[in-house]
Amino acid sequence: MELSIYHQPSPWYYLLANPALFSYLPTPENHVNWSETPESHIYSADLPGVRKEEIKLEVEDSRYLIIRTEAINESTQPAKSFSRKFRLPGGIDIEGISAGFEDGVLTVTVPRAFRRRGFFIDPEDVPERLQVLARAA
């Protein structure tokens, strides 16, 4: 006796996967790509049609990175409404944050703050003969 299990997808699967009904790929409007390197965290956002002057970056409470668009003056509107807020990871250099905007892509680089976790003893600083100051009991 042979046992065969066949799973048939729901009819909704065929309706929602039909490219004739949905010819575009649904992507979020405010999608920001985050990547990590040993030296930094990199946030990149695709902002087509937005001018460099309309982009505002803020660091709030040394914990949050805010990327948004705003009008240059009261009479205009930005080309695209965009606002995202990210919690920054620990161990970063707030003063070293940099941003670039090229071909409609905003790239924000948040460098890591490297701290030495030990100390270094220079062999030249050690006397030739060490004196014992206390003996263990």
Side-chain angles (χ1 to χ4, degrees), residues 70-84:
E70 64 179 26
I72 298 170
N73 55 36
E74 301 292 325
S75 63
T76 63
Q77 291 292 326
K80 181 178 182 180
S81 177
F82 182 88
S83 180
R84 291 293 302 266

Side-chain angles (χ1 to χ4, degrees), residues 1-41:
M1 176 185 249
E2 185 177 325
L3 181 62
S4 174
I5 299 175
Y6 178 73
H7 174 71
Q8 182 175 4
S10 164
W12 289 106
Y13 171 80
Y14 296 107
L15 179 64
L16 296 175
N18 187 345
L21 295 175
F22 301 103
S23 60
Y24 62 90
L25 293 174
T27 57
E29 273 296 309
N30 292 345
H31 178 73
V32 176
N33 185 32
W34 170 78
S35 60
E36 185 176 12
T37 66
E39 296 84 24
S40 62
H41 299 272

Side-chain angles (χ1 to χ4, degrees), residues 7-117:
H7 174 71
Q8 182 175 4
S10 164
W12 289 106
Y13 171 80
Y14 296 107
L15 179 64
L16 296 175
N18 187 345
L21 295 175
F22 301 103
S23 60
Y24 62 90
L25 293 174
T27 57
E29 273 296 309
N30 292 345
H31 178 73
V32 176
N33 185 32
W34 170 78
S35 60
E36 185 176 12
T37 66
E39 296 84 24
S40 62
H41 299 272
I42 300 170
Y43 300 87
S44 59
D46 190 23
L47 301 171
V50 175
R51 297 190 337 227
K52 184 178 180 178
E53 297 82 25
E54 296 175 333
I55 299 172
K56 185 166 184 177
L57 295 174
E58 295 177 74
V59 175
E60 181 181 277
D61 298 333
S62 298
R63 290 184 176 197
Y64 299 100
L65 172 68
I66 301 170
I67 304 171
R68 64 182 167 145
T69 58
E70 64 179 26
I72 298 170
N73 55 36
E74 301 292 325
S75 63
T76 63
Q77 291 292 326
K80 181 178 182 180
S81 177
F82 182 88
S83 180
R84 291 293 302 266
K85 185 175 183 176
F86 302 95
R87 178 163 172 88
L88 292 171
I92 61 166
D93 179 16
I94 298 288
E95 300 297 322
I97 295 176
S98 63
F101 186 67
E102 187 175 332
D103 297 328
V105 178
L106 173 69
T107 305
V108 180
T109 304
V110 180
R112 295 176 189 262
F114 291 103
R115 295 188 183 116
R116 275 197 128 145
R117 301 231 184 228

